[in-house]
């Protein structure tokens, strides 16, 4: 079966070669290419390369080479049509049906391409003619260089009702082709057809291969619409195309980024200033298909938006549209310009350096989402704080990738914690009075000091050494909640072996996220509200008569913090040692590259964590202890 060229082009644009190859062998980006171990023969040193931009792979060891379709054929043992069908399923593209009308459609497309190319040349000639003087003056005022005029193939549509129509029909293009290509308009009531673009500066719009498929026109005189684009045609679907994408692809690949501006002139100004990796949507908000095109060009496109309300609204629309499509390593950044300034204005007035600074300070998508929800939202009551938290987590629910969703939840939790803290407050030092020691009991309606109970039935049944350490980690935070002021992330990322203790850990984190400046009494109160006082009571031991005395609320904060950091570091090291042992076992059972990499990473993590225990010199002095007891 012969597949239509447009279908094959769309298929390859939606499915990245490196993505498909990466499912078979681990790839590492090196400059403009990817490299890895060849999936077609056994080797210890990588000799396999993938060039995403050019769309081919090659092994210098065994000589295997080909494109996306060939890779699927060679690795899955299928025919060409079957390979196309499998890739179409991945891309979400319906398979074309080979019918006589499809062949006719391909022939029409070829004819339309020829007509659009002739129109582009005619518009270019008009710009250089006497009739194009006004358009040339406009370009001069906008400081558009001659190089940009030439490279973007700018043109001019004269203020004539039928000039283009007559010129192209004289060159053998039929009226029907001109209508189908959107170059002329045929009124319904049977009147004579006329040119769509009149008295406008013309911007050719190309496909990924650089072929003209449509035009955009900027009015130079009075007109109902300042900008006018070609209608949807057999060649042109504006939600799938970006202005300048054919030219920007190479520079985007070289620089590792792509800039998304709002309009034609912004793209031209950026390119003229050295940022030729610039593109723009075509008068609409960025679509899902355009996001996929952008991610094929660079993993984190920068949206460079005008510094006004419309620019901010565009940022919000794009950020919301991107949420379901996010995946590890692929996101968006936003470069927001000063109020009332667009890229063209900034470059003309302040130069390329000012533009570089704006781009370098582009904010990640996570920051835009946070700003969206907190803007003009009061959070001065628990209910309003809860509403903000719910709104942020609702955004996470829209993310389909579980890893991305998990990290966004952690990010928002941390930002909530920071936002709800009292400003300028630091953890309190010194010991508490004995009057605070029974407050857990008071909130839990107990009749004795639960901190000194032994052998409680609520103790968690885990191995004594690890289990008691995990208990002490939580108990220290419960009795010294000031620790959460500066070490929230440490507790949030900690893995505990006991499900019951992990439940308590999550409760402490939730409390600290919403409540700021917690002290012992506050923490006791909130845990009691969650019916966790009994569990906390079960963790208590003879703390004042053992080496665990630092967990006591009366111990100095400095001593409690140092001891807590020490046992947390020990806990992490032991966990990493277990990971290393597991990686060694896996490599012994199955000697694969993936298992070897896992072992290397486990060793690196353990080496990095070793020696991070807290300095406990002088431990106990702040609490009035001259030596450890």
């Amino acid at each position: 079966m012969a597949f239509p060229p447009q279908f094959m082009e769309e298929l390859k644009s939606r499915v990245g070669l490196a993505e498909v190859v990466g499912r078979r062998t681990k790839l590492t980006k090196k400059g403009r290419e990817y490299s890895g171990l060849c999936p077609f023969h056994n080797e210890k040193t990588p000799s396999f390369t993938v060039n995403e931009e050019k769309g081919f792979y090659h092994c210098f060891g065994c000589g295997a080479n080909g494109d996306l379709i060939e890779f699927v054929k060679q690795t899955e043992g299928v025919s060409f049509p079957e390979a196309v069908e499998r890739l179409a399923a991945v891309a979400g593209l319906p398979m074309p049906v080979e019918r006589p009308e499809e062949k006719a459609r391909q022939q029409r497309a070829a004819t339309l391409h020829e007509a659009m190319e002739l129109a582009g040349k005619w518009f270019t000639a008009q710009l250089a003619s006497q009739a194009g003087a006004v358009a040339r003056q406009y370009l001069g005022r906008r400081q558009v260089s001659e190089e940009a005029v030439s490279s973007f193939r700018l043109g001019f549509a004269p203020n004539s009702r039928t000039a283009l129509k007559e010129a192209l029909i004289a060159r053998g293009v039929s009226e029907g082709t001109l209508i189908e290509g959107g170059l002329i308009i045929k009124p319904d009531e049977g009147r004579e057809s006329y040119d769509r673009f009149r008295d406008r500066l013309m911007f050719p719009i190309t496909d990924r291969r650089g072929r003209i498929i449509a035009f955009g026109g900027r009015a130079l005189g009075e007109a109902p619409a300042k900008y006018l684009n070609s209608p949807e045609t057999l060649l042109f679907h504006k939600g799938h195309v970006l202005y300048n994408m054919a030219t920007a692809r190479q520079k985007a690949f070289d620089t590792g980024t792509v800039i998304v501006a709002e309009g034609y002139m912004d793209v031209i100004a950026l390119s003229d200033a050295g940022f030729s990796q610039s593109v723009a949507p075509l008068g609409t908000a960025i679509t899902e298909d355009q996001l996929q095109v952008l991610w094929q060009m660079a993993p984190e496109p920068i949206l460079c938006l005008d510094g006004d309300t419309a620019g901010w609204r565009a940022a919000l629309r794009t950020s919301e549209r991107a949420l379901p499509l996010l995946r590890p390593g692929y996101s968006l950044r936003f470069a927001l310009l000063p109020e009332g300034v667009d890229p063209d204005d900034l470059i003309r007035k302040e130069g390329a350096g000012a533009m570089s600074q704006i781009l370098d300070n582009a904010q990640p998508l996570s920051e835009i989402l946070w700003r969206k929800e907190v803007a003009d939202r009061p959070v001065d009551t628990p209910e309003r704080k809860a509403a903000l938290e719910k709104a942020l987590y609702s955004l996470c629910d829209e993310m389909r990738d579980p890893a991305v969703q998990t990290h966004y939840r952690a990010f928002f939790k941390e930002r909530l914690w920071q936002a709800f803290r009292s400003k300028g407050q630091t953890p309190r030092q010194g010991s508490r009075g004995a009057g605070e020691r029974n407050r857990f009991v008071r909130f839990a309606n107990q009749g004795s000091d639960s901190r000194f109970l032994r052998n409680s039935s609520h103790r968690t049944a885990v191995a004594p050494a690890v289990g008691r350490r995990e208990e002490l980690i939580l108990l220290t935070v419960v009795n010294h909640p000031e620790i959460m002021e500066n070490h929230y992330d440490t507790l949030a990322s900690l893995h505990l072996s006991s499900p019951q203790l992990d439940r308590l850990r999550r409760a402490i984190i939730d409390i600290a996220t919403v409540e700021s400046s917690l002290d012992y009494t506050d923490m006791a109160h909130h845990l009691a509200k969650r019916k966790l006082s009994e569990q906390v009571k079960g963790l208590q031991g003879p703390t004042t008569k053992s080496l665990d005395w630092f967990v006591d609320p009366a111990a100095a904060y400095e001593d409690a913090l140092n001891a807590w950091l020490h046992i947390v570091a020990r806990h992490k090291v032991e966990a990493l040692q277990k990971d290393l042992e597991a990686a060694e076992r896996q490599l012994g059972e199955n000697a694969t590259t993936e298992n070897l990499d896992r072992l290397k990473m486990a060793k690196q993590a353990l080496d990095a964590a070793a020696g991070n225990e807290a300095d406990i010199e002088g431990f106990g002095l702040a609490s009035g202890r001259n030596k450890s007891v």
Side-chain angles (χ1 to χ4, degrees), residues 465-483:
V466 176
R468 184 54 183 162
R469 183 171 61 238
E470 292 183 352
E471 291 174 351
L472 291 176
I473 288 172
L474 296 184
L475 194 55
T476 307
V477 175
V478 167
N479 289 342
H480 299 271
E482 302 96 323
I483 290 174

Side-chain angles (χ1 to χ4, degrees), residues 221-235:
E222 294 296 327
K226 181 178 178 181
Y227 281 95
L228 178 66
N229 287 336
S230 294
E232 297 273 320
T233 69
L234 178 64
L235 302 182

